[in-house]
């Protein structure tokens, strides 16, 4: 019923019609520039060329799609969803993800899992909330129980790339046979890609033929290796 009545803008509080953002604030959400690295989606000057990092250390995932840059006001929207204050934004986010994911010939969706302690504290998994709606939009099954997060990893913000990789090593365990499947991993933000790389490693070990990341936003500034 929420979409039938006028809303106030999540960012500025002005009238926003049937959308969670007014036109002025929606215009501030920055699209991820194209072309991008076909593997990690970082902007590149030439289409189809891998970035330097993906050439030096190819990740286990095969492709990444992201509609937006992780910056204001999208950053505040994502954080609100993580803290349980932005459920009214999920429909808008799902539509943006669906636009980025259409045309990807995947077999199933897999939301980034939370450790059981984090899930108990938060009461929900924001990636699962996005994946549910996305599954309906794309007509794909959501396989939420096949990947477990065994290690409650520390916060990765501020760490160098090799430190991020070390922190997430062995954090995930796939408990299903994914032989030959193209798996679409859903998450809110991709920073360095270390966590998504470890997820893809687990999925490939379970037989997945291809792993594609579908994230709402991509950060552009990363700490060096």
């Amino acid at each position: 019923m929420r979409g039938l009545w006028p809303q106030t803008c999540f960012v500025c509080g002005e009238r926003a019609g049937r959308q969670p953002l007014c036109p002025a604030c929606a215009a501030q959400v920055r699209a991820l520039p194209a072309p991008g690295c076909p593997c990690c989606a970082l902007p590149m000057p030439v289409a189809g060329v891998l970035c330097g990092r993906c050439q030096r250390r190819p990740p286990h995932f095969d492709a990444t799609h992201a509609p937006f840059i992780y910056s204001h006001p999208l950053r505040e929207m994502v954080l609100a969803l993580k803290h349980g204050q932005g459920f009214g934004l999920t429909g808008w986010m799902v539509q943006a993800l669906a636009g980025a994911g259409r045309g990807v010939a995947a077999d199933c969706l897999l939301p980034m899992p939370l450790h059981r302690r984090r899930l108990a504290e938060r009461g929900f998994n924001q990636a699962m909330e996005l994946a549910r709606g996305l599954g309906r939009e794309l007509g794909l099954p959501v396989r939420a129980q096949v990947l477990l997060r065994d290690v409650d990893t520390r916060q990765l913000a501020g760490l160098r790339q090799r430190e991020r990789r070390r922190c997430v090593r062995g954090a995930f365990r796939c408990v299903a046979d994914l032989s030959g499947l193209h798996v679409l991993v859903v998450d809110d933000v991709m920073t360095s890609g270390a966590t998504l790389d470890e997820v893809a490693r687990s999925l490939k070990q379970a037989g997945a033929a291809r792993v594609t990341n579908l994230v709402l936003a991509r950060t552009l500034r990363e700490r060096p290796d």
Side-chain angles (χ1 to χ4, degrees), residues 62-157:
D62 300 281
T64 300
H65 300 275
F68 302 123
I69 297 172
Y70 189 56
S71 61
H72 173 81
L74 187 66
R75 178 175 55 244
E76 289 75 18
M77 297 165 69
V78 169
L79 292 175
L81 179 60
K82 282 187 175 182
H83 294 296
Q85 301 167 343
F87 288 111
L89 301 169
T90 55
W92 182 90
M93 292 178 175
V94 164
Q95 290 300 316
L97 283 167
R102 284 195 177 92
V104 178
D107 296 296
C108 62
L109 297 174
L110 197 156
M112 174 67 72
L114 285 178
H115 186 267
R116 58 184 178 276
R117 185 180 68 82
R118 292 277 183 97
L119 185 59
E121 290 175 351
R122 193 176 294 177
F124 69 98
N125 176 0
Q126 73 275 6
M128 183 65 211
E129 297 300 317
L130 295 173
R132 281 198 187 102
L134 194 57
R136 291 190 293 270
E137 287 291 324
L138 300 181
L140 292 174
V142 179
R143 303 191 65 178
Q145 306 303 322
V146 306
L147 186 67
L148 305 179
R149 191 167 193 150
D150 291 331
V151 179
D152 189 8
T153 53
R154 58 186 280 203
Q155 290 292 323
L156 303 183

